[in-house]
């Protein structure tokens, strides 16, 4: 097995040091928000966004005024993209059914899918106004039936971004707040004098937003660890360097710490892609960001075979995986650790980010090993229930329960079963004793 790195990104140790610094900063900031509430939130907004309006929550009139600044074409495009996301979310919701089954005569078991009762949706917007993130969180929560949807987004250029606000409003947000970063996450999770806390936080964000969600997990639910964008391009010599370089830089422009990796069986393609990236960085308007990401986090890996590429890809567990090979469906059948797959040269990660309909809030930092991305099911809780409808079933299950509880030493548990064996089965079980076994069982 030969794996050759033509380019490496920053070491794991360097990345861990960055994470430690972020962790400490977030911890102290959340403590400040919990202690000082609205005062801390306003101070943070002034410090990081130079934004301090009379009210951070937008009124209905303010929302309508912002939407009115958009062109008909912009509104139509937003609605088209949102419709694709809603359509796929509705299909996913339809696949999740409540069930009820009689497992034994008189024993009824079931489960219900119940929406989370309040959700805080974070929509990034400091560097780029992430209109599409509103579809992915707000509109999907609406499809799930969440009764209270709170949406937060930072100001862009010193004011609310009309496109983001429109997408939030069209998606069904009940409250829209112009707040960004840790202050938004902290306010929604911890609550302040003016912000009622939510039960769950969702949405992507920078390293600080992702870390804030991680630290708040347990007090509230979170969708997943969705930090800085990651992309992995798996390619062979069926595609060219321009396509690979474009797809790598298209995601590297997200931020200064967005990993972009090329994994290929073709050394020629690898070398040509490196040269093509240099060329494109000279003409890309967002090169300042993309170049920093590529220099520090870009990697080019050459493998001997598709089997080797599969093993490396599953180990990387990238958020986005673009597959452009002579066997794309083979990767679909065999890959196990990733956020989302983009199969073939005709599609690309930007489609998934903005319009095609799958959710773009996806696991990062290897979280694809244990979770998929945000989807309608994340907003639903599956709760089980049980019912016993006959005396015979109560006595039969109770007898088994009695003996199994005592096997573990739980006498009080056993008595919960025994009292029902006595009442519904007419069997005089000694207090703290085991219910007898019957041959009919």
């Amino acid at each position: 097995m030969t794996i050759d790195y033509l380019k490496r990104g920053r070491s794991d140790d360097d990345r861990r040091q960055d994470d430690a610094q972020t962790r400490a900063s977030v911890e102290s900031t959340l403590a400040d928000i919990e202690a000082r509430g609205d005062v801390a939130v306003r101070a943070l907004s002034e410090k990081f966004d130079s934004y301090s309006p009379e009210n951070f929550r937008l009124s209905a009139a303010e929302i309508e005024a912002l939407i009115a600044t958009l062109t008909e074409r912009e509104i139509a495009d937003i609605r088209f993209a949102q419709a694709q996301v809603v359509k796929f979310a509705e299909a996913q919701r339809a696949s999740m059914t409540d069930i009820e089954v009689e497992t034994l005569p008189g024993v009824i078991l079931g489960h219900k899918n119940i929406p989370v009762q309040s959700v805080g949706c974070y929509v990034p917007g400091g560097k780029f106004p992430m209109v599409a993130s509103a579809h992915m969180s707000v509109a999907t929560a609406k499809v799930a039936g969440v009764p209270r949807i709170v949406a937060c987004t930072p100001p862009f250029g010193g004011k609310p971004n009309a496109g983001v606000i429109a997408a939030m409003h069209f998606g069904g947000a009940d409250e829209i707040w112009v707040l960004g970063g840790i202050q938004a996450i902290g306010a929604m999770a911890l609550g302040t004098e003016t912000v009622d806390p939510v039960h769950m936080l969702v949405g992507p964000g920078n390293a600080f937003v992702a870390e804030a969600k991680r630290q708040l997990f347990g007090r509230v639910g979170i969708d997943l660890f969705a930090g800085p964008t990651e992309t992995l391009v798996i390619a062979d010599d069926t595609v060219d360097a321009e396509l690979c370089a474009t797809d790598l830089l298209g995601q590297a422009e997200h931020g200064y710490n967005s990993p972009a990796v090329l994994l290929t069986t073709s050394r020629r393609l690898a070398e040509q892609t490196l040269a093509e990236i240099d060329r494109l960085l000279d003409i890309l308007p967002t090169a300042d960001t993309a170049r920093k990401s590529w220099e520090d986090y870009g990697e080019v890996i050459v493998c001997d075979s598709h089997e080797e590429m599969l093993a490396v890809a599953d180990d990387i567990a990238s958020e986005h995986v673009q597959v452009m090979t002579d066997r794309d469906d083979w990767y679909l059948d065999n890959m196990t650790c990733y956020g989302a797959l983009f199969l073939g040269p005709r599609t690309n990660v930007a489609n998934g980010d903005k319009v095609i309909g799958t959710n773009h809030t996806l696991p990062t930092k290897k979280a694809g090993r244990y979770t998929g991305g945000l989807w309608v099911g994340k907003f639903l809780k599956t709760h089980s229930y049980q019912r016993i409808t006959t005396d015979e079933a109560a006595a039969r299950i109770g007898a088994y329960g009695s003996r199994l509880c005592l096997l573990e030493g739980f006498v009080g548990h056993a008595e919960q079963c025994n009292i029902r064996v006595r009442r519904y089965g007419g069997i005089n079980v000694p207090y703290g004793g085991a219910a007898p076994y019957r041959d009919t069982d």
Side-chain angles (χ1 to χ4, degrees):
M1 183 172 181
T2 303
I3 299 172
D4 187 12
Y5 283 77
L6 272 62
K7 183 186 182 305
R8 284 186 179 271
R10 299 182 70 200
S11 69
D12 289 341
D13 285 343
D14 287 343
R15 299 185 194 197
R16 278 191 288 269
Q17 288 178 13
D18 290 344
D19 289 345
Q21 292 173 356
T22 300
R23 188 159 50 247
S25 176
V26 169
E27 185 174 13
S28 63
T29 303
L30 289 176
D32 187 32
I33 293 170
E34 186 165 25
R36 297 196 297 144
D38 284 338
V39 173
V41 168
R42 183 169 294 276
L44 290 163
S45 181
E46 290 172 347
K47 177 180 178 180
F48 293 110
D49 292 323
S50 300
Y51 186 70
S52 185
E54 182 177 351
N55 293 304
F56 288 102
R57 181 176 175 178
L58 294 179
S59 67
E62 289 172 320
I63 292 169
E64 291 300 329
L66 285 163
I67 294 173
T69 67
L70 298 171
T71 67
E72 290 185 6
R73 181 70 267 158
E74 288 168 335
I75 291 174
D77 287 346
I78 290 170
R79 288 192 179 278
F80 176 84
Q82 193 164 99
Q84 309 318 303
V85 174
V86 167
K87 189 182 303 182
F88 189 56
E90 288 174 341
Q92 290 178 312
R93 179 64 184 90
S95 74
M96 302 178 65
T97 57
D98 296 350
I99 64 169
E100 186 172 279
V101 59
E102 188 171 18
T103 56
L104 292 168
V107 177
I108 309 298
L109 307 181
H111 78 225
K112 293 180 64 178
N113 294 298
I114 301 173
V116 175
Q117 293 299 287
S118 60
V119 170
C121 301
Y122 185 73
V123 177
K127 184 176 287 291
F128 301 102
M130 299 285 284
V131 175
S133 288
H135 313 324
M136 309 300 170
S137 56
V138 175
T140 306
K142 196 71 174 179
V143 171
V146 176
R148 176 179 174 239
I149 302 171
V150 181
C152 279
T153 190
F156 182 75
K159 59 184 180 181
N161 179 267
V164 174
I165 302 304
M168 289 174 162
H169 180 67
F170 297 156
D174 299 296
E175 303 170 26
I176 298 177
W177 298 75
V178 185
L179 281 171
I182 306 171
Q183 59 269 29
I185 299 298
M188 289 191 289
L190 302 171
T192 71
E193 297 89 335
T194 57
V195 184
D196 290 334
V198 298
H199 295 173
M200 182 180 182
L201 294 169
V202 301
N206 62 21
F208 293 92
V209 167
E211 176 60 22
K213 287 169 62 181
R214 190 192 68 80
Q215 291 189 20
L216 289 162
F217 176 63
R219 179 172 293 202
V220 295
I222 65 171
D223 48 358
L224 61 147
F225 194 96
T229 290
E230 304 166 351
T231 198
L232 170 66
V233 174
I234 301 175
D236 58 19
D237 54 13
T238 60
V239 291
D240 59 75
E242 182 185 21
L243 203 57
C244 293
T246 299
D247 286 341
L248 291 165
L249 292 180
Q251 294 302 302
E253 75 174 356
H254 260 284
Y256 68 91
N257 57 352
S258 299
V261 180
L262 172 64
L263 185 58
T264 182
T265 51
S266 170
R267 180 172 293 271
R268 180 179 63 85
L269 178 64
E271 292 171 346
Q272 290 178 351
T273 299
L274 283 168
E276 185 65 13
I277 285 174
D278 289 340
R279 185 186 74 82
L280 291 176
L281 283 173
D282 286 337
I283 60 175
L284 182 66
T286 54
D288 286 350
T289 303
R291 189 187 304 277
K292 182 63 174 172
S293 276
W294 179 247
E295 288 175 351
D296 289 350
Y297 292 89
E299 295 190 340
V300 176
I301 307 170
V302 180
C303 294
D304 283 342
S305 67
H306 286 278
E307 288 74 17
E308 284 183 1
M309 289 207 294
L310 176 67
V312 173
D314 272 339
D315 180 63
I316 292 172
S318 183
E319 177 190 17
H320 305 106
V321 181
Q322 173 88 40
V323 182
M324 298 182 289
T325 68
D326 63 3
R327 60 197 73 186
D328 299 341
D329 284 346
W330 181 82
Y331 283 92
L332 175 62
D333 291 340
N334 289 283
M335 278 197 71
T336 59
C337 301
Y338 56 90
L341 289 181
F342 303 82
L343 300 167
R346 292 180 179 84
T347 192
N348 64 86
V349 175
N351 281 351
D353 279 348
K354 310 304 177 188
V355 67
I356 206 166
T358 53
N359 206 292
H360 79 194
T361 303
L362 300 167
T364 63
K365 289 185 175 291
K366 292 183 178 286
R369 295 173 300 171
Y370 56 82
T371 186
L374 181 61
W375 69 297
V376 71
K378 290 278 188 178
F379 297 101
L380 296 165
K381 306 170 295 166
T382 302
H383 296 274
S384 62
Y385 63 89
Q386 58 176 265
R387 181 188 301 114
I388 294 179
T389 59
T390 67
D391 291 351
E392 181 181 359
R396 183 183 181 190
I397 290 293
Y400 275 99
S402 169
R403 295 190 298 271
L404 290 168
C405 289
L406 290 174
L407 181 65
E408 296 178 355
F410 286 110
V411 180
H413 283 60
E415 275 304 304
Q416 290 181 268
C417 300
N418 287 341
I419 193 172
R420 286 159 176 84
V421 174
R422 298 183 194 111
R423 292 189 179 188
Y424 298 110
I427 300 171
N428 187 21
V429 182
Y431 188 88
Y437 174 77
R438 301 180 304 171
D439 289 340
T440 55
D441 289 342

